[in-house]
């Protein structure tokens, strides 16, 4: 706006102020006086500037400071509304937990933050039933996880054990169609203790593979992998086999250790090692 346009706007504001002063119901009006004061301030800015200067609100420090204050207040108000929504949703889920019907509810957008709120209320202790509920919903694409965008966002909103649990449930459904919920109960324990065994990835996306050439040909060195001398295909194929073995062994009633051995296999190995040791035949050890 140039000086002429500002002067016209100032005159209109003065006229409105005079008109408002004639009516008692407009005596407490604050908008009119505020607009008049603002136009007077802008007129003074142009009067003090070089002739021909136009008013630019983008370089008006006073106006920009007021806009920043308004934006901060609006953001704070939005944060308070979101906090209130999370608290109300947490209360609702807590009631469902008390009734034992949490599994019948469908997760909604923002329930990842509600999970964090329930964990905070419990003193930082993970709520296994809530994590299991979210993992089942994510694996089955239930609730708001029907939207692929929500499933993609969950990778950065949920913890690695929950994501591992969901991935394991999805693989179980593929390998063992029709498996009941009681048969899948071990999945949460396996995902919590061995998230890497089920191919769970951390919240950050993995770094791309780097190529390294050796005399035997070109191999892919996987970031973080310590399987020396193995190709990328060998490294990648090892994890699904481990996950499948864990799944089938657990459903058969066995438990695998970190070396992939069941309890019975560990006993047989320990007995064989004992019979082969000098302690198995004291007479030989003393000769």
């Amino acid at each position: 706006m140039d000086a002429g346009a500002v002067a016209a706007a100032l005159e209109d504001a003065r006229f409105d102020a005079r008109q408002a002063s004639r009516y008692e119901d407009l005596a407490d009006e604050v908008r009119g006086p505020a607009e008049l004061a603002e136009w007077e301030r802008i007129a003074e800015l142009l009067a003090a500037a070089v002739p021909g200067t136009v008013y630019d609100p983008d370089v008006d420090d006073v106006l920009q400071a007021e806009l920043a204050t308004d934006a901060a207040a609006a953001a704070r108000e939005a944060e308070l509304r979101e906090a209130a929504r999370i608290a109300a949703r947490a209360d609702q889920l807590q009631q469902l937990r008390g009734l034992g019907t949490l599994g019948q509810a469908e997760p909604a957008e923002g329930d990842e933050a509600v999970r964090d709120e329930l964990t905070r209320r419990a003193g930082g202790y993970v709520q296994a039933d809530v994590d299991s509920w979210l993992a089942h919903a994510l694996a089955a694409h239930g609730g708001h996880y029907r939207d692929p965008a929500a499933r993609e966002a969950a990778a950065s909103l949920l913890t690695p054990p929950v994501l591992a649990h969901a991935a394991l449930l999805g693989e179980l459904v593929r390998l063992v169609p029709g498996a009941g919920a009681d048969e899948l109960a071990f999945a949460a324990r396996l995902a919590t203790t061995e998230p890497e065994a089920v191919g769970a990835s951390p919240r950050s996306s993995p770094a791309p593979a780097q190529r390294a050439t050796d005399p035997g040909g070109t191999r892919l060195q996987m970031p973080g992998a310590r399987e020396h001398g193995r190709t990328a295909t060998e490294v990648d194929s090892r994890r699904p086999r481990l996950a499948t073995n864990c799944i089938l062994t657990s459903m058969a009633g066995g438990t695998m250790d970190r070396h992939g051995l069941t309890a019975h296999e560990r006993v047989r190995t320990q007995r064989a090692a004992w019979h082969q040791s000098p302690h198995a035949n004291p007479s030989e050890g003393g000769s």
Side-chain angles (χ1 to χ4, degrees):
M1 299 179 66
D2 57 14
V6 170
L10 175 58
E11 186 59 32
D12 290 341
R14 287 172 175 170
F15 175 80
D16 292 339
R18 289 194 298 269
Q19 291 294 105
S21 64
R22 299 177 181 178
Y23 301 94
E24 293 183 0
D25 57 338
L26 298 178
D28 297 331
E29 177 70 27
V30 296
R31 179 176 178 179
E35 290 182 352
L36 175 59
E38 181 66 9
W39 285 119
E40 288 175 344
R41 184 187 69 82
I42 294 174
E44 291 176 358
L45 283 177
L46 292 181
V50 178
T53 302
V54 297
Y55 174 72
D56 185 358
D58 293 337
V59 297
D60 188 341
D61 294 338
V62 175
L63 177 61
Q64 294 303 315
E66 292 178 353
L67 292 176
T69 301
D70 293 343
R76 177 56 179 168
E77 185 178 353
E79 290 178 359
L80 293 175
R81 288 197 303 268
E82 178 64 9
R85 185 198 66 79
I86 291 174
R89 176 64 170 169
D91 292 341
Q92 180 184 15
L93 295 184
Q94 188 63 37
Q95 291 178 356
L96 295 177
R97 296 173 72 190
L99 296 173
T101 58
L102 177 62
Q104 301 175 15
E106 286 195 341
E109 183 179 358
D111 276 354
E112 296 85 2
V114 177
R115 171 201 175 273
D116 296 340
E117 171 63 15
L118 290 172
T119 302
R120 185 194 66 80
R121 292 183 181 184
Y125 290 95
V126 173
Q127 305 301 287
D129 58 338
V130 177
D131 282 5
S132 179
W133 170 63
L134 287 173
H136 277 79
L138 181 58
H141 298 177
H144 73 299
Y145 291 130
R146 295 187 186 94
D147 185 358
R151 297 195 297 271
E152 183 178 353
S156 60
L157 297 175
L158 295 175
T159 61
V162 178
L163 297 174
H165 189 184
L168 184 55
L169 289 172
E171 186 68 11
L172 272 173
V173 172
R174 187 182 69 84
L175 293 175
V176 190
D182 55 340
E183 297 179 288
L184 306 181
F186 74 93
R189 296 191 298 272
L190 179 60
T192 301
T193 57
E194 295 289 344
E196 293 186 359
V198 295
S201 61
R203 296 194 178 198
S204 59
S205 58
Q210 297 178 351
R211 291 188 177 273
T213 305
D214 60 12
T218 300
R219 298 178 183 271
L220 287 177
Q221 181 63 40
M222 303 301 291
R226 291 180 293 178
E227 291 86 351
H228 300 291
R230 291 195 178 101
T231 63
T233 303
E234 293 170 340
V235 173
D236 286 344
S237 62
R238 186 169 173 267
R239 291 184 177 178
R241 286 201 302 271
L242 177 58
T244 303
N245 291 339
C246 291
I247 292 169
L248 299 179
T249 303
S250 299
M251 295 191 70
T255 302
M256 299 179 68
D257 64 6
R258 63 190 179 91
H259 301 292
L261 298 177
T262 64
H264 296 295
E265 291 172 338
R266 288 197 300 272
V267 171
R268 288 198 300 269
T269 302
Q270 292 169 0
R271 286 178 177 174
W274 170 260
H275 287 301
Q276 295 175 4
S277 66
H279 303 286
N281 192 339
S283 61
E284 295 181 2
S287 59

